[in-house]
Amino acid sequence: MLFSSTIFIFIFLPTVLLVNFALRGHRDAQNVFLCFASLFFYAWGEPKFVLVMMLSILVNWGFGYIIDKHREERTAKLLLVLDIVFNLSIIFVFKYLMFTLENIKMLGAKNLVIPEIALPIGISFFTFQALSYVIDVYRGDAGVQKSLINVALYISLFPQLIAGPIVRYTTVADQIKNRVETFDDFSQGVVRFIFGLGKKIIIANNMALLADYAFSTVGDNSLLLAWLGALAYTFQIYFDFSGYSDMAIGLGLMFGFHFLENFNYPYISTSITEFWRRWHISMGTWFRDYVYIPLGGNRTKTKGRHVFNMFVVWLCTGIWHGANWTFVLWGLMYFVLLVFEKYSGINFKKDGKCKSIKYVYTMFFVICGWVVFRATSLSEAVVYFGDMFSCKNGLISDGFLEYGRQFITYFAVAIVCSTPILPKLKERYKDNVLCSGLMVVVLVAIAIFSISCIVKSSYNPFIYFNF
Amino acid sequence: MTVKSKRILAIIFVAMIFIVGITTVWNCRHTISGIVKESSYLHCKSELEDSIDKNIFQKNQWINVNGLLHRIMCETIVRGSGSEYDVYKLSNGQIMYNLDERDMRDYAGQLVKLDNELNKLGIGLTYVQLPNKIKDDSYMPPGTKTYGNINADNLVALLREESVDTIDIREEIEKAGLDWSSLFFKTDHHWLPTTGLWASGIIMEHLGDRYNYPINKSYYDYENYDSEVHENWMLGAVGRRVGVLYDGLDDIEILNPKFQTDFDLVGISDAGTDHRAGSFYDSMYLWDNLKNRADFVNNSYSTYIGKEYSIATVENKLNKNGMKILLIRDSFSCAITPFISLNASSTKNIDLRRYKKNILKLCKEYQPDAVVVAYNPSAFSKKQFDFFK
């Protein structure tokens, strides 16, 4: 089930809010209800794969429990390794097995039969959350959760289930039992949900029309249309992903959960390092805490080892996004850029000189990176770059004129919303009654406009199939 | 935002999702009770989602709001669920869907074959090319192309090469110096009834000359009609995709002859047989289609003649010696049939999207003086050129 669907907004959400409210004061009952509601939410779109998620819940709960029991023994480490192997095996089978076999076949094993394996939506998110739980228990960063329902609730909680943020167990461990639902949190959650819905439906979905058009005519795009398409995808993925995160954070607040921020205006960054501090923060910190630091992080004896650690992290980051060489290349591009920023000696800090040049440098590679990310294959990415960096199809085309004119207002809105201008204005006038009233009107309008797009069954792509 | 304003917003939001949710479930109650008996999960899920989408509380108002959003965002192309559902805002302020380039050779071939077969029966064929609302690319948003009238040009050229009797209403518009934009509805792809009246005069004059029947030209004089204008009333077929707030509503004009008329109309559709008799005003209009302002279901334009019948017969009781015409038609003929019937003794209207029988067999039985095929460019489809079923 998608947040941006009529069945979620008008049937699922009111029902779950109502029952959750009716069960207030009975925390265990609330948790049981939310757990089953979340499983239903997932099963609605993935009736078979909910079993995979339930298996993941059961096994990780079991591993957490046994690891805690054998905390002082060597078996704990072995059990942790087994749990990691189990989780990575699930991801590998569903996400990477076909890709691996296809590549083996290309290398010569022509008789190899490649099975058709569908990808359970959100598998990378819920598996990483499950891993985070067991690792945190092993490390002693979090206490073991004896209740299967509570572990199930943590892993399957519907707000963050499909598209993140990747909630760490330590973030919500206490909230599962002791969260406090207040009307103010609920109200803030509604505000956040509406903002997210607007970002996804009004901006991202419209940007998707242009991006999809440009990528469907790859090889025939004029130079400006290719850039326009790349820019549209740059905005699409940001507003889609951050919109979903906003909705997740908002929904979490409605039920008393406080999730951490996942995006912090990444398109104002003046370096790639800064960009990754602002983009998909929950994934970045997950890889930092569970891959980079255990490998030694930057506290290594040699530069080579540090570069190797970074290489592993960015290879994993690329592959995490999908089983395709495009994602590998995309991840490695960031590895190269981050090593460059680390060791070139150039000051990439915001207060340094040539801020605008640094900004252009950052956004140039971010946009080029999204082209690789969006392309269905490396060859398509190369052809698309051909459109972007040559005039073989001319500078301007009818498509550019049509879409450029058509989407100019959306681009203007997207640019403004990519910067912290609006939050600064909100902060400045936070106590102004007139401005607050205006904000209510604007948010009601955003909600109504967004829902109108959903009701009209406008274009509503889902870009997390790879994740 | 102050805490109070956030609370107000939360109350509004919760009220909205609960009111819409409860009323939608109520609207879907029959579907839901039916679904419970279904065994396949995926079928149930898809049925339920479809039912919710269709029966959502105040669906038309949501579409109106959506149109307003597109208007605010200055969109001149409103994307639909497929390119055929895209709506284009034209340079003259009207809205329309676009037509792709089509190969007209097969369609021309079918018409030539029909002409030959009718000639064997001693019946003449006249093809009438009706106009597309989008005259040319200059009407389109920058960077977009339209092919409606280009497709029609190609068809007309091929038919004239094969000497098929052809009237090109678009040429007549040019000759008469009429303003293209003023001939069509703003929110509908159809032409105005007054344009249909004018075009009917051109067609009947041509047929009268060809088959030596006297034609009363005064029937095509607007001055001979009383006019009943329903202002800001009609939401056309294109307008229904974007709602009222995107491009507004059209006026719809009902014409009532000042002269005496007496007709008998029998129309057959999937829903059954309609029989209307009496004056032009009593027989040519299906008033149900004019009941509601901004109607998302019925097109007020279809007040003329009514439903899209698979076959409809109009007998003119005051002109028993007039021409017998078999009109193979699209919806533009809703505004032709009433007016050509004034100078005919009998007309039969066939809509090939619905009529399943053989045309030649019908011609043998009906023995028309003239067979007229009148199509606008959006009717260029296999179904509508399938004359030999």
Side-chain angles (χ1 to χ4, degrees):
Chain A
M1 202 183 291
L2 300 179
F3 296 156
S4 51
S5 65
T6 45
I7 195 150
F8 177 80
I9 294 177
F10 295 122
I11 310 293
F12 182 84
L13 183 59
T15 309
V16 176
L17 281 174
L18 189 69
V19 177
N20 186 66
F21 181 74
L23 295 172
R24 72 190 191 285
H26 306 280
R27 179 64 72 221
D28 289 340
Q30 269 186 328
N31 286 352
V32 170
F33 168 71
L34 281 178
C35 177
F36 280 102
S38 297
L39 291 174
F40 175 80
F41 171 87
Y42 191 77
W44 184 258
E46 303 277 349
K48 289 176 192 163
F49 294 134
V50 75
L51 298 173
V52 176
M53 193 166 71
M54 287 162 78
L55 177 72
S56 171
I57 290 166
L58 193 65
V59 171
N60 283 289
W61 168 77
F63 270 108
Y65 193 78
I66 302 168
I67 285 171
D68 185 60
K69 284 223 160 186
H70 300 276
R71 180 173 297 286
E72 307 304 324
E73 301 163 29
R74 269 186 71 190
T75 34
K77 193 164 194 173
L78 180 68
L79 288 166
L80 177 69
V81 171
L82 280 175
D83 182 66
I84 292 170
V85 168
F86 167 77
N87 283 293
L88 295 184
S89 300
I90 288 185
I91 296 195
F92 180 78
V93 169
F94 285 102
K95 197 166 172 178
Y96 303 109
L97 183 60
M98 276 170 64
F99 174 68
T100 309
L101 293 175
E102 275 162 13
N103 282 283
I104 292 171
K105 196 171 183 177
M106 276 169 65
L107 289 172
K110 291 191 174 154
N111 295 327
L112 195 64
V113 179
I114 300 171
E116 283 286 324
I117 302 170
L119 182 68
I121 290 173
I123 189 167
S124 302
F125 289 103
F126 71 72
T127 309
F128 269 40
Q129 290 205 171
L131 270 172
S132 135
Y133 165 67
V134 180
I135 296 171
D136 285 352
V137 169
Y138 170 78
R139 287 174 175 175
D141 293 341
V144 69
Q145 180 54 261
K146 288 180 182 163
S147 160
L148 175 63
I149 286 293
N150 289 351
V151 172
L153 180 63
Y154 159 66
I155 294 174
S156 69
L157 190 59
F158 73 88
Q160 31 72 185
L161 180 58
I162 287 183
I166 303 168
V167 177
R168 302 275 282 276
Y169 181 65
T170 45
T171 308
V172 291
D174 183 52
Q175 296 174 33
I176 288 173
K177 272 310 250 185
N178 304 314
R179 63 185 176 275
V180 180
E181 295 117 320
T182 65
F183 189 50
D184 285 349
D185 273 351
F186 182 87
S187 307
Q188 180 58 35
V190 168
V191 171
R192 198 66 191 269
F193 181 80
I194 293 172
F195 264 122
L197 191 67
K199 281 162 91 172
K200 158 72 183 154
I201 300 289
I202 298 176
I203 305 178
N205 284 1
N206 280 291
M207 287 293 165
L209 287 166
L210 171 48
D212 288 356
Y213 173 76
F215 278 87
S216 71
T217 53
V218 59
D220 297 322
N221 293 317
S222 66
L223 186 141
L224 288 179
L225 178 60
W227 274 98
L228 197 67
L231 199 59
Y233 187 67
T234 301
F235 285 124
Q236 182 200 344
I237 194 158
Y238 170 60
F239 284 102
D240 200 305
F241 209 169
S242 70
Y244 256 97
S245 288
D246 286 342
M247 285 188 269
I249 292 167
L251 287 167
L253 283 170
M254 289 186 211
F255 293 95
F257 289 95
H258 293 254
F259 303 146
L260 298 179
E261 291 298 329
N262 208 19
F263 290 86
N264 183 21
Y265 301 98
Y267 293 158
I268 61 164
S269 305
T270 54
S271 69
I272 298 296
T273 311
E274 186 188 353
F275 172 78
W276 276 104
R277 275 202 292 263
R278 293 173 176 273
W279 178 274
H280 202 176
I281 298 163
S282 64
M283 184 203 65
T285 51
W286 197 98
F287 277 113
R288 183 195 66 199
D289 293 347
Y290 297 113
V291 180
Y292 182 64
I293 290 173
L295 284 172
N298 58 1
R299 292 176 185 175
T300 52
K301 286 176 185 167
T302 62
K303 269 186 191 177
R305 175 67 200 195
H306 180 218
V307 171
F308 173 77
N309 292 348
M310 288 173 76
F311 172 80
V312 172
V313 166
W314 289 99
L315 184 66
C316 291
T317 303
I319 291 172
W320 182 86
H321 285 86
N324 193 325
W325 288 111
T326 51
F327 296 114
V328 176
L329 180 69
W330 176 77
L332 293 181
M333 180 196 84
Y334 280 112
F335 157 69
V336 171
L337 289 167
L338 288 164
V339 169
F340 168 74
E341 289 187 7
K342 189 84 184 163
Y343 291 109
S344 66
I346 299 169
N347 177 11
F348 280 97
K349 285 183 181 160
K350 238 189 167 67
D351 53 357
K353 288 177 186 170
C354 309
K355 206 171 148 184
S356 51
I357 292 173
K358 288 175 194 168
Y359 178 74
V360 171
Y361 144 82
T362 306
M363 285 313 294
F364 175 82
F365 282 109
V366 167
I367 292 170
C368 290
W370 290 135
V371 170
V372 178
F373 191 94
R374 171 65 176 75
T376 51
S377 64
L378 289 179
S379 54
E380 187 183 306
V382 170
V383 177
Y384 199 92
F385 282 131
D387 291 349
M388 285 171 78
F389 296 104
S390 80
C391 280
K392 63 184 168 66
N393 299 317
L395 182 68
I396 296 174
S397 58
D398 286 343
F400 172 75
L401 289 174
E402 178 195 334
Y403 281 94
R405 186 188 145 97
Q406 186 69 15
F407 288 89
I408 193 160
T409 323
Y410 287 104
F411 273 109
V413 174
I415 289 167
V416 170
C417 294
S418 300
T419 66
I421 293 171
L422 292 178
K424 278 181 184 167
L425 285 175
K426 260 169 62 186
E427 183 60 27
R428 190 167 171 182
Y429 297 106
K430 66 178 179 186
D431 297 323
N432 185 308
V433 177
L434 193 67
C435 289
S436 289
L438 189 67
M439 274 304 291
V440 172
V441 173
V442 169
L443 282 162
V444 168
I446 290 173
I448 289 175
F449 283 144
S450 303
I451 293 169
S452 79
C453 293
I454 297 169
V455 171
K456 203 191 156 215
S457 305
S458 300
Y459 190 46
N460 192 9
F462 185 70
I463 61 172
Y464 309 105
F465 284 113
N466 287 315
F467 297 0
Chain B
M1 278 177 90
T2 58
V3 172
K4 195 177 169 187
S5 56
K6 283 179 190 171
R7 287 177 178 176
I8 291 169
L9 182 72
I11 291 165
I12 294 171
F13 179 77
V14 168
M16 184 170 76
I17 62 172
F18 271 88
I19 290 168
V20 176
I22 290 165
T23 47
T24 303
V25 169
W26 179 253
N27 292 343
C28 298
R29 63 194 183 280
H30 299 303
T31 317
I32 292 167
S33 58
I35 283 169
V36 173
K37 293 166 196 157
E38 290 281 345
S39 54
S40 155
Y41 167 79
L42 287 176
H43 188 250
C44 285
K45 175 180 169 270
S46 144
E47 285 272 305
L48 189 62
E49 283 177 339
D50 282 354
S51 179
I52 287 167
D53 287 343
K54 277 182 198 155
N55 295 300
I56 199 143
F57 177 65
Q58 294 290 331
K59 176 158 187 165
N60 298 339
Q61 299 309 325
W62 288 111
I63 293 172
N64 286 336
V65 167
N66 190 255
L68 179 64
L69 170 69
H70 293 300
R71 191 173 179 168
I72 290 169
M73 299 306 268
C74 310
E75 284 182 70
T76 48
I77 307 171
V78 178
R79 306 286 173 185
S81 49
S83 61
E84 68 272 32
Y85 299 108
D86 292 348
V87 172
Y88 292 73
K89 181 97 178 232
L90 308 182
S91 57
N92 58 9
Q94 299 179 342
I95 52 174
M96 182 56 177
Y97 53 79
N98 197 10
L99 294 171
D100 295 331
E101 189 171 19
R102 286 175 203 176
D103 185 348
M104 301 309 295
R105 285 174 298 186
D106 282 352
Y107 300 145
Q110 286 291 90
L111 280 165
V112 171
K113 191 178 165 191
L114 180 65
D115 190 32
N116 292 336
E117 294 296 324
L118 289 172
N119 282 340
K120 287 178 197 167
L121 300 174
I123 302 167
L125 170 72
T126 299
Y127 176 73
V128 181
Q129 181 58 62
L130 306 177
N132 183 242
K133 182 171 165 180
I134 312 176
K135 187 181 177 189
D136 53 40
D137 288 346
S138 67
Y139 283 55
M140 295 289 285
T144 54
K145 289 192 181 304
T146 186
Y147 289 96
N149 283 319
I150 292 172
N151 293 337
D153 288 344
N154 294 338
L155 179 64
V156 168
L158 288 165
L159 294 178
R160 283 180 175 160
E161 258 176 40
E162 297 292 332
S163 304
V164 175
D165 183 40
T166 303
I167 307 169
D168 190 340
I169 295 294
R170 300 165 312 155
E171 290 172 357
E172 302 297 327
I173 293 170
E174 293 299 320
K175 269 190 225 164
L178 300 176
D179 170 32
W180 197 279
S181 299
S182 66
L183 305 176
F184 297 88
F185 286 106
K186 184 172 65 172
T187 66
D188 199 44
H189 57 293
H190 294 113
W191 55 8
L192 298 170
T194 46
T195 316
L197 171 71
W198 169 81
S200 300
I202 306 275
I203 295 165
M204 288 313 289
E205 204 173 326
H206 179 91
L207 296 180
D209 286 349
R210 186 175 176 192
Y211 299 104
N212 290 320
Y213 275 94
I215 298 297
N216 186 342
K217 292 180 186 173
S218 69
Y219 291 161
Y220 306 106
D221 183 351
Y222 180 74
E223 298 302 320
N224 288 326
Y225 290 83
D226 288 323
S227 167
E228 183 183 308
V229 180
H230 297 254
E231 287 181 3
N232 268 325
W233 192 266
M234 173 179 145
L235 182 63
V238 189
R240 269 178 261 158
R241 297 177 188 181
V242 286
V244 174
L245 300 176
Y246 183 73
D247 205 33
L249 292 168
D250 274 293
D251 299 341
I252 173 90
E253 189 172 7
I254 299 296
L255 298 173
N256 186 23
K258 289 175 180 169
F259 47 88
Q260 200 185 354
T261 51
D262 192 3
F263 290 102
D264 198 82
L265 182 147
V266 177
I268 299 170
S269 68
D270 292 342
T273 303
D274 288 349
H275 184 200
R276 298 194 297 270
S279 68
F280 186 100
Y281 198 77
D282 293 329
S283 58
M284 293 300 176
Y285 295 116
L286 185 68
W287 297 106
D288 283 353
N289 290 342
L290 201 61
K291 265 184 190 166
N292 302 317
R293 184 174 176 271
D295 195 333
F296 273 80
V297 179
N298 297 308
N299 194 339
S300 303
Y301 164 79
S302 301
T303 306
Y304 282 82
I305 290 298
K307 295 168 197 159
E308 293 191 333
Y309 300 113
S310 60
I311 182 166
T313 308
V314 181
E315 301 289 342
N316 185 344
K317 292 183 186 171
L318 301 183
N319 188 19
K320 294 203 168 166
N321 298 320
M323 224 187 287
K324 282 176 81 176
I325 301 167
L326 176 70
L327 174 62
I328 300 173
R329 50 156 272 173
D330 61 23
S331 53
F332 270 52
S333 287
C334 287
I336 293 180
T337 304
F339 304 115
I340 63 170
S341 297
L342 291 165
N343 262 310
S345 63
S346 163
T347 55
K348 261 192 200 299
N349 292 249
I350 302 291
D351 187 332
L352 289 181
R353 286 169 294 184
R354 297 166 184 87
Y355 189 72
K356 308 289 180 207
K357 295 176 187 166
N358 189 295
I359 298 283
L360 293 175
K361 200 177 162 194
L362 178 71
C363 286
K364 280 177 199 166
E365 288 164 13
Y366 182 54
Q367 287 294 318
D369 297 300
V371 172
V372 176
V373 178
Y375 281 157
N376 85 89
S378 51
F380 295 158
S381 66
K382 275 189 181 169
K383 260 190 177 178
Q384 281 173 290
F385 283 82
D386 186 9
F387 303 116
F388 310 100
K389 292 176 185 179

